Amino acid sequence: MIKPVISFITSAVLFISAVPFCAAAESGTETYTINFLDLDGKPYYTIYVPAGQQIDKQVIGQIDTSKFFKQIDSKTQQKFNDWWGIPEYVTENVDIKPLTVTASISCRNCPSRRKYYSKESDISKDGLLVQITFVTQTGIDKDGNYITETDVKDITSTCTIKPETTADAFKSSDKADVKIFPINSNQPIDSFEITYIEGIGDLNGDKIVTGTDAALSLREYTMLSSYPDYKLDASVLKYGDMNFDGILSGTDATLLLRYYTLLSSYRDYNLDKFYEESGIENALS
C-alpha cells in the first residue's frame, strides 16, 4: 500500500502500486503510457501523462520500492537506488528502469593470533579486516549496460567476536571456534580456531613458573652444548622451547628468565602478555 498524496489541486489521492495512476488530460490532448519497471524488466507501476507534460515528482516518490529489496545470499543484499530514464517532458511512451545498490560484506582477514597460554586474556582482534563493498548503478549507457561505481568501507572497528575471552573460549576444551559478527547481527560472517597451550615455562611440572625453571632451562642447554650425545627429556623441550623453534637454546633460557622476572614484578602479568610484547611469531600464530 502506497501512502496518500495531498496536492493543492485535489484533496487526496491514494496510490496503489498495482493500480495505474491516470493523470487528467485536457480534451484532445494525447496521453502517453509511462511504465516503471521492476528488476526483471516487467511493468511494476504505470501512469498516464499528457503529451508535453512532466511526470509528477510526488507520484514518483510514492512508488513502493521496498519490494525491490533482495537478499542475494547470506552476505549480499540489493536494494533500490534510483530511477533511470525519466524524461524532462513526456513526448512518447516510456519505460523507466530501476537502478540498484548492491552491498556485499566480507571478512578479508581473520585475526592472526591463534595460540593462547592463559585463561585470563582477551582474544585478540589484531589482523582482522572486515569490509562492505557497495556497487551502485548510476546509469545505463547507449549499449544498455549499467554504469556502476564501487565503494569499499572498512567496518572492522564495529565488528565483534564471540567468545571474547579465553576464559569463555576454553571452558571445556583446549580448542575453540571464534565467530566474527558485524554490528547488530546474530549471523557470523566468518570464524577461526584458537588453541590453548598450558604449561609453557614450567619445566619442573609444579604448575608455576619460577627461577628454578629458568635455571633448569639454562642447565639443560649447557648440557646439550657440552655433550653431543646428551638426551634431553621430552617434557623439558616441550615446555622450555619458549620461542617455538623446535630446539632448546640459550635464547629459550633468556626468554624464560625474562618472563619469570616480569611475572614476579607485575601482579596481573601472564604469558599471553609476554608473547604479545615480545612479538615472537611462532608463539602467536
Side-chain angles (χ1 to χ4, degrees), residues 137-155:
Q137 295 176 344
T138 58
I140 301 174
D141 65 21
K142 62 181 181 180
D143 297 320
N145 300 313
Y146 285 98
I147 302 167
T148 61
E149 292 180 352
T150 300
D151 187 28
V152 179
K153 300 292 186 184
D154 185 340
I155 62 164

Side-chain angles (χ1 to χ4, degrees), residues 39-255:
L39 296 178
D40 296 321
K42 299 177 181 179
Y44 174 72
Y45 189 82
T46 300
I47 61 175
Y48 303 98
V49 180
Q53 291 193 12
Q54 294 180 318
I55 300 175
D56 191 335
K57 292 182 179 179
Q58 284 187 319
V59 174
I60 298 173
Q62 295 304 310
I63 300 175
D64 182 9
T65 57
S66 64
K67 295 180 181 180
F68 289 7
F69 176 85
K70 283 187 177 181
Q71 186 74 44
I72 296 175
D73 57 41
S74 63
K75 298 180 182 179
T76 307
Q77 296 178 343
Q78 185 182 73
K79 68 177 183 177
F80 174 82
N81 180 49
D82 204 352
W83 293 108
W84 175 258
I86 299 176
E88 185 176 1
Y89 295 96
V90 174
T91 59
E92 59 183 346
N93 296 329
V94 178
D95 287 339
I96 297 174
K97 299 179 179 180
L99 301 176
T100 62
V101 55
T102 302
S104 300
I105 188 170
S106 61
C107 181
R108 299 295 186 183
N109 292 310
C110 287
S112 55
R113 181 161 187 182
R114 303 302 173 88
K115 298 175 183 177
Y116 289 85
Y117 306 87
S118 167
K119 293 186 179 180
E120 299 176 346
S121 301
D122 292 332
I123 297 172
S124 174
K125 290 171 63 177
D126 290 350
L128 178 64
L129 177 59
V130 180
Q131 297 175 328
I132 296 181
T133 300
F134 296 92
V135 178
T136 303
Q137 295 176 344
T138 58
I140 301 174
D141 65 21
K142 62 181 181 180
D143 297 320
N145 300 313
Y146 285 98
I147 302 167
T148 61
E149 292 180 352
T150 300
D151 187 28
V152 179
K153 300 292 186 184
D154 185 340
I155 62 164
T156 305
S157 62
T158 67
C159 293
T160 58
I161 58 174
K162 294 180 182 179
E164 297 179 337
T165 67
T166 54
D168 288 334
F170 303 118
K171 282 181 178 178
S172 57
S173 174
D174 61 0
K175 293 187 182 297
D177 193 42
V178 181
K179 294 179 173 61
I180 302 166
F181 295 87
I183 189 171
N184 297 327
S185 174
N186 58 6
Q187 177 70 33
I189 58 169
D190 212 333
S191 64
F192 59 101
E193 187 179 76
I194 58 175
T195 302
Y196 174 62
I197 302 173
E198 188 175 20
I200 299 300
D202 179 21
L203 274 67
N204 63 3
D206 63 358
K207 304 300 181 182
I208 58 173
V209 174
T210 66
T212 300
D213 297 302
L216 179 57
S217 176
L218 181 59
R219 188 188 73 187
E220 291 295 288
Y221 166 64
T222 301
M223 294 296 291
L224 281 173
S225 301
S226 303
Y227 303 98
D229 296 330
Y230 183 75
K231 298 298 182 181
L232 187 67
D233 188 276
S235 64
V236 172
L237 179 59
K238 179 179 180 179
Y239 299 116
D241 182 15
M242 296 292 292
N243 60 1
F244 290 86
D245 63 357
I247 60 174
L248 188 72
S249 66
T251 300
D252 297 306
T254 300
L255 287 171

